[in-house]
Amino acid sequence: MSPPAALFDRIALRILAAHPAPDLRDITVLLPNYHVVQPLAQALMRAAQRPALLLPQMVTLNEWAQGIALESPVAADSQRSALLYQQLRKQKWFEQADLWSMTQELLVLFDELTHSLADLPGDADAFAAAVQQAYQARKNSTLQLEARLVFELWHAMQSGEELDAGRAYQQRLAKLAEQARQPLFVLRTSDWCALEQRFLDEYAGRAAVEVFDLRKMDAQWGSLLHESSAGLRSQSIASLGGKLGFFAATSLEQEARAAAMQVRLWLQAGKRDIAIVAQDRVVARRMRALLERAEIMVADETGWTFATLSVSTVLDRWLTALQSDFYHHDLLDLLKSPFIFADMTASERKSAVYQLEQLLRKQGVVAGLEKFSALVEHETVLHQPLARLRQAAALLEQHKKRTLAEWLAALRESLQVLSIDSGLLQDDAGMQLLGALETWQQELTADEGRYRFPEWRRWLAQQLDTQTYRDNSIDSQVRFTHLAATRWRAFDAVLLLGCDADHLPSVADGGRWFNDAVRSSLNLPTRAINAERQRDDLLSLLALNDCVLVTWQKDRNGEAGLLSPYLEILRDLHLLTWGDDLAESELPAYLAAEEARAVELPQSAQPAPVVQKEIIPTGVSISAYNSLVACPYQFYARHILRLNELDEVQEGIEKRDYGERVHAILQRFHERYPRVSEHSRDTMEVALRQISEEVFADLLQQDFEARAWLARWFKALPAYIEWQMVNEAQGWRYVESESAFDWELEGVRLRGRIDRLDMNGQQKRVLDYKTQSDQVLRNKLREPGEDVQLACYAYAHEAADAAFLSIESGKVKSVEPEGDVPLLAQLNAERLVQVMGKIRGGTGLPANGIDQVCIHCEMRGVCRKGEWV
């Protein structure tokens, strides 16, 4: 007979000895969880040896207490939280603190104080004295303030007519003890809290109580790890070979892979009830993904907080977009959620988001719903979504103060306008979330406190972080659970996941109120008590299960990781007794075999794709031609595959904007004053300055940084006027600027736009304004033909001369290419015709750019340079 069955049979015999079969309805059995009902009922049937048996009441203590009616109503936790927050806000003790977080901590502390009421001092001074004594300090104003604050707030919370959850539980247990008439049997593995133990003592004064404590019933595991270190060294332990194993992983990924592999091996061996006790939830997430990839679903008894689920993410995105005045990133994140506009088809939503994103990136609108609406004037598909956003935003006016219930009502109404509620109703977690919002709204109807939008949003985030969602739709042989939920349970196999010293014992943070010495003096739970309960739960799990694997990370982010001290002691005892450290020996081989079977992709080679004729462009811009010369593969990726990066919405002025404004200023200036030398230098400088201010006016309103760019341009004005007068003295005259061209060559069209065209008699010269230094421009022209811009401009306008005009650092200089410009222009045009002909003929486009080109190329991740064989 298995150890669990033998233990349950012992319990069944004791119950039947105290109360003969077949009618056991007059007795009650307190269970740690309802999973214990079935094995205990089976044990009672075996021991009674009867065809039928009227089973006893088998219930958990909390469920038993909930069946007791109370005369006073019980306040919901949301009501208590709001009331305490208002008290803290009213007193203004902690103006800079996160009051909602503090409220949550205090409520937990108040429940603990309520459970310890029997030993609590009766007034604030006595309470402060007890705290002072526990700290072993002389009179200290800070400690006295802390003690008085806690005591007075606790009393204020207790003064209302409604009961809080702590007092309700206390009163229910007291009534249960008063009604004690029938025998009570209790199954437990660790000590109860003070309130529950007090109930048990009071019950025992009126009726028979028998406690089945696994620590006392199991001789092998009962006292293990409870003795001093000297005693531990003298202990021996039964062999655990084949029952318990340890796997020390070198990384989170390896731990998750090893755990998933072990589950698969157990299933293959026929084990049908596998528990994964997840101490490290990060590893658990990764392991779950690996199991689902292997088509093994995992049931989850523990659940996840709503704050970690995608259904809550859409709420956060909506409120974030609202609070940021619809900052473009926040708006796009919201619109890409699968839950918004659920009344539209998926293709309609995707099309609308794509069009809006393209518009935002093209127009550079950073934020503002009204600006976005004006932007989509001609995009009818976007009118309705943006109109609904405006309608929903109007419901949540941020400048108002409202009650929590009013904010929740406005939120729910806005979700209806955006059809987010319809999207959430199609998801089980979403349905529970909507139900929680409705419940909180109803609970808080009577609360009259008024809150600003940020206060309410922080409250909502905290509520979502305290509510748990459990997916009950998955029925699987593999389940996630937690250590406390394994009490008195036996499984075919148990995986203890993430059992390093940081996660087992997982002692909860005590918060900012009282240290362990004070908590102990007030009979409150301490970190040591919480750790002891986990130790006892761990030992009971090992006592009831004979197939357990422990995993942990011995290396974590480059630092050595330690095994849980409880398991470390157990492993060392086994090593001393049997010479076996219980290291798992088979998993490494399985993992190595799995890695060996992994698909190895061929190494990358230098690409040189051949392009089909039908997708070869018939027209080429100057920038595309430059790209073709710099790297044919870059031209292929950018201008044939059109893999160009999306434009970013500019949130500040960049040098590109500065260059565009300089072009616009000079175009307007020369169209107004074709002959600068006909006017005085001072007049021209004033005129140019005035035009500059006009062109920069819109930027100056949007961004303060525009003033710095304008000042940078003003610095160059005298030098530019001087250069232009010298230019005219040499016979050159301004003709036109920003003129587009589209030349038909053999098999390809060349298109572009020149900045400026001058003439000297019949001689033409093209100029290209650059806000770069003259040295950078000379480097561009060092190798004839490498930069095609000036040569193509000269060819398009049949110009004999061409030059870059450097306007930088208060200097204006002309930079001309060396050699014969018309010849260079003709050679560039012929080269374009020849290259495009070869491409049409099937010549590949190799990735052969030099390092200076590749270092700034956004297509490097496509050609995978650096990974070629």
Side-chain angles (χ1 to χ4, degrees):
M1 183 177 292
S2 65
L7 287 170
F8 281 115
D9 283 347
R10 288 168 59 186
I11 295 171
L13 289 172
R14 289 292 303 139
I15 293 175
L16 292 172
H19 197 103
D23 190 352
L24 305 179
R25 289 176 297 174
D26 290 339
I27 64 175
T28 299
V29 182
L30 285 185
L31 308 175
N33 54 70
Y34 284 111
H35 297 282
V36 183
V37 170
Q38 183 178 358
L40 180 56
Q42 293 171 345
L44 287 169
M45 291 294 296
R46 286 195 301 268
Q49 296 183 351
R50 289 177 178 268
L53 195 66
L54 296 175
L55 293 171
Q57 176 182 218
M58 292 186 280
V59 66
T60 63
L61 182 56
N62 184 62
E63 288 294 327
W64 195 20
Q66 292 302 316
I68 300 298
L70 296 175
E71 296 177 359
S72 301
V74 179
D77 286 342
S78 60
Q79 294 171 312
R80 298 173 63 206
S81 177
L83 180 60
L84 181 55
Y85 181 87
Q86 291 164 41
Q87 289 281 345
L88 289 172
R89 187 173 61 178
K90 179 181 178 181
Q91 297 296 340
K92 297 183 179 180
W93 286 320
F94 309 100
E95 292 187 6
Q96 302 302 319
D98 179 2
L99 293 187
W100 284 122
S101 176
M102 187 176 294
T103 296
Q104 196 68 24
E105 287 184 12
L106 281 170
L107 288 178
V108 173
L109 178 61
F110 291 166
D111 285 341
E112 292 174 342
L113 288 171
T114 300
H115 292 173
S116 305
L117 185 61
D119 301 317
L120 191 69
D123 58 71
D125 291 333
F127 184 76
V131 172
Q132 200 82 36
Q133 183 178 1
Y135 274 115
Q136 296 182 345
R138 296 182 178 180
K139 284 192 176 181
N140 183 301
S141 59
T142 302
L143 299 183
Q144 287 179 333
L145 173 62
E146 177 183 12
R148 184 172 293 276
L149 182 151
V150 169
F151 191 87
E152 290 182 356
L153 284 174
W154 174 68
H155 263 297
M157 294 295 292
Q158 299 244 332
S159 62
E161 294 181 0
E162 291 185 333
L163 300 174
D164 57 46
R167 279 197 296 162
Y169 189 47
Q170 181 189 52
Q171 291 190 14
R172 287 187 169 115
L173 290 184
K175 286 191 174 186
L176 273 178
E178 291 173 1
Q179 298 170 6
R181 299 291 183 272
Q182 56 191 23
L184 180 64
F185 297 89
V186 182
L187 277 66
R188 71 181 183 188
T189 61
S190 56
D191 292 335
W192 283 1
C193 72
L195 174 63
E196 294 169 340
Q197 186 59 50
R198 191 162 61 246
F199 154 77
L200 199 61
D201 295 339
E202 292 175 0
Y203 195 103
R206 296 180 174 87
V209 175
E210 184 166 359
V211 177
F212 298 103
D213 193 329
L214 189 59
R215 294 170 295 182
K216 298 177 181 177
M217 295 179 68
D218 190 283
Q220 175 183 349
W221 297 96
S223 61
L224 191 63
L225 310 185
H226 287 259
E227 307 295 335
S228 65
S229 57
L232 283 173
R233 282 196 297 270
S234 64
Q235 285 190 40
S236 61
I237 188 172
S239 176
L240 298 175
K243 297 182 179 180
L244 176 65
F246 291 86
F247 182 86
T250 57
S251 66
L252 183 151
E253 180 67 17
Q254 189 188 44
E255 182 178 12
R257 287 180 56 235
M261 176 64 73
Q262 183 62 75
V263 170
R264 291 161 60 190
L265 292 172
W266 279 336
L267 289 172
Q268 190 176 25
K271 298 186 183 298
R272 292 296 175 260
D273 189 9
I274 300 172
I276 303 169
V277 182
Q279 297 297 117
D280 187 336
R281 297 291 278 177
V282 178
V283 180
R285 279 183 179 272
R286 178 57 182 154
M287 176 197 181
R288 182 173 192 162
L290 293 172
L291 287 174
E292 290 181 352
R293 183 186 298 174
E295 300 184 353
I296 300 172
M297 302 302 292
V298 183
D300 194 345
E301 296 178 358
T302 305
W304 304 88
T305 62
F306 274 106
T308 64
L309 302 178
S310 60
V311 292
S312 296
T313 302
V314 68
L315 297 189
D316 181 67
R317 288 178 179 176
W318 165 228
L319 297 177
T320 297
L322 192 64
Q323 202 166 5
S324 67
D325 190 26
F326 293 92
Y327 175 63
H328 64 282
H329 280 308
D330 297 333
L331 176 61
L332 292 173
D333 282 346
L334 170 65
L335 296 179
K336 290 175 182 178
S337 169
F339 296 106
I340 193 171
F341 299 134
D343 53 352
M344 299 169 62
T345 66
S347 60
E348 287 175 337
R349 290 200 307 270
K350 290 179 180 178
S351 175
V353 174
Y354 174 78
Q355 289 187 42
L356 180 61
E357 185 168 14
Q358 294 299 315
L359 276 173
L360 296 184
R361 293 179 184 277
K362 183 178 180 180
Q363 301 297 330
V365 180
V366 177
L369 203 53
E370 296 303 323
K371 294 179 181 178
F372 298 147
S373 299
L375 187 65
V376 303
E377 182 178 357
H378 303 294
E379 303 291 338
T380 55
V381 72
L382 295 175
H383 287 172
Q384 187 184 27
L386 289 178
R388 292 169 71 175
L389 283 170
R390 288 199 304 273
Q391 182 183 352
L395 295 169
L396 288 163
E397 296 179 73
Q398 298 181 57
H399 65 277
K400 287 187 175 181
K401 276 191 173 184
R402 299 180 179 181
T403 66
L404 295 176
E406 289 172 348
W407 278 120
L408 287 169
L411 172 64
R412 293 177 62 199
E413 193 174 349
S414 73
L415 298 182
Q416 292 173 1
V417 171
L418 299 175
S419 195
I420 291 176
D421 60 341
S422 300
L424 294 177
L425 286 172
Q426 298 171 22
D427 184 278
D428 185 54
M431 292 175 62
Q432 291 192 30
L433 174 59
L434 290 175
L437 294 176
E438 183 178 1
T439 299
W440 295 332
Q441 183 181 341
Q442 293 173 354
E443 291 173 349
L444 294 164
T445 301
D447 179 63
E448 298 180 352
R450 307 192 75 80
Y451 305 83
R452 299 187 307 274
F453 181 86
E455 287 180 295
W456 166 71
R457 191 177 173 200
R458 178 69 186 90
W459 170 85
L460 181 62
Q462 181 166 284
Q463 289 293 107
L464 294 174
D465 202 35
T466 57
Q467 296 292 313
T468 302
Y469 165 74
R470 293 179 179 85
D471 187 354
N472 298 319
S473 64
I474 299 176
D475 184 14
S476 174
Q477 301 165 340
V478 183
R479 71 188 73 191
F480 280 131
T481 189
H482 55 95
L483 194 55
T486 65
R487 293 167 182 169
W488 283 95
R489 293 173 69 182
F491 305 92
D492 290 348
V494 177
L495 181 67
L496 286 168
L497 187 68
C499 292
D500 55 72
D502 292 334
H503 292 93
L504 183 65
S506 56
V507 182
D509 184 7
R512 66 198 86 191
W513 306 101
F514 305 147
N515 62 19
D516 269 4
V518 177
R519 297 180 69 86
S520 179
S521 70
L522 298 175
N523 204 26
L524 300 177
T526 63
R527 299 187 184 195
I529 289 175
N530 291 329
E532 288 170 5
R533 286 177 183 163
Q534 292 179 68
R535 175 199 60 199
D536 293 338
D537 289 338
L538 174 65
L539 290 177
S540 71
L541 182 147
L542 295 174
L544 293 172
N545 295 274
D546 57 5
C547 181
V548 180
L549 177 68
V550 175
T551 69
W552 59 290
Q553 295 174 51
K554 65 178 180 180
D555 295 313
R556 185 185 290 271
N557 299 325
E559 297 183 1
L562 300 176
L563 180 62
S564 163
Y566 301 146
L567 292 166
E568 182 75 39
I569 293 172
L570 184 61
R571 188 178 64 171
D572 290 348
L573 278 174
H574 198 272
L575 180 62
L576 290 171
T577 306
W578 298 96
D580 180 8
D581 64 358
L582 300 172
E584 214 295 323
S585 57
E586 296 182 358
L587 274 179
Y590 280 106
L591 293 178
E594 185 180 53
E595 290 177 358
R597 293 183 60 185
V599 177
E600 291 189 8
L601 298 176
Q603 287 185 291
S604 299
Q606 183 181 16
V610 176
V611 186
Q612 296 178 356
K613 289 184 179 180
E614 54 267 24
I615 64 172
I616 297 174
T618 57
V620 175
S621 66
I622 299 297
S623 62
Y625 187 11
N626 250 335
S627 180
L628 179 62
V629 173
C631 173
Y633 189 87
Q634 184 189 84
F635 170 80
Y636 167 74
R638 282 182 181 174
H639 302 282
I640 295 179
L641 297 184
R642 301 185 183 278
L643 297 179
N644 308 53
E645 289 182 325
L646 290 174
D647 294 331
E648 290 294 330
V649 177
Q650 290 181 216
E651 300 180 34
I653 298 175
E654 300 177 357
K655 192 169 185 180
R656 180 180 60 181
D657 304 301
Y658 169 66
E660 290 173 353
R661 299 296 162 135
V662 168
H663 282 63
I665 290 167
L666 294 179
Q667 179 185 12
R668 190 178 301 184
F669 174 70
H670 286 296
E671 286 177 351
R672 190 176 300 177
Y673 302 101
R675 300 285 183 92
V676 172
S677 55
E678 293 179 353
H679 308 272
S680 70
R681 191 184 304 269
D682 291 341
T683 301
M684 290 295 91
E685 190 171 333
V686 170
L688 185 55
R689 181 178 291 269
Q690 181 181 354
I691 292 172
S692 301
E693 290 174 344
E694 293 172 359
V695 172
F696 266 88
D698 60 328
L699 288 182
L700 292 172
Q701 292 179 353
Q702 295 176 18
D703 195 334
F704 185 79
E705 290 183 7
R707 298 184 181 278
W709 290 104
L710 183 58
R712 179 177 180 174
W713 165 241
F714 281 162
K715 186 178 179 181
L717 296 191
Y720 183 80
I721 298 296
E722 174 65 25
W723 178 87
Q724 179 62 25
M725 287 188 167
V726 171
N727 188 54
E728 292 179 5
Q730 294 173 352
W732 292 104
R733 299 291 180 267
Y734 168 83
V735 177
E736 62 181 7
S737 60
E738 299 299 326
S739 57
F741 62 86
D742 192 346
W743 274 75
E744 180 72 42
L745 303 178
E746 186 179 342
V748 63
R749 299 184 69 85
L750 180 65
R751 61 180 182 273
R753 181 183 298 272
I754 68 162
D755 292 348
R756 173 172 164 179
L757 176 67
D758 283 4
M759 292 191 69
N760 190 345
Q762 297 300 314
Q763 188 177 359
K764 296 181 180 179
R765 181 178 66 179
V766 292
L767 293 174
D768 192 60
Y769 301 130
K770 295 292 185 183
T771 54
Q772 296 172 305
S773 70
D774 59 316
Q775 185 58 51
V776 170
L777 297 174
R778 287 192 180 90
N779 292 338
K780 276 189 174 186
L781 300 176
R782 182 173 297 166
E783 294 291 335
E786 285 296 316
D787 189 280
V788 305
Q789 192 171 14
L790 286 179
C792 289
Y793 287 163
Y795 182 85
H797 287 79
E798 300 178 337
D801 291 293
F804 288 129
L805 191 62
S806 169
I807 306 174
E808 181 68 4
S809 302
K811 300 176 182 178
V812 177
K813 293 183 179 181
S814 177
V815 180
E816 301 175 356
E818 296 180 3
D820 189 336
V821 171
L823 177 60
L824 183 62
Q826 183 63 36
L827 292 175
N828 267 280
E830 292 175 359
R831 179 176 61 178
L832 176 61
V833 170
Q834 293 172 2
V835 170
M836 294 302 293
K838 289 181 179 179
I839 294 173
R840 288 193 296 272
T843 300
L845 296 171
N848 59 9
I850 62 175
D851 289 341
Q852 287 180 331
V853 171
C854 295
I855 196 171
H856 298 297
C857 180
E858 75 278 15
M859 299 302 165
R860 184 166 184 152
V862 182
C863 78
R864 304 186 71 80
K865 184 175 183 179
E867 299 181 22
W868 299 340
V869 178

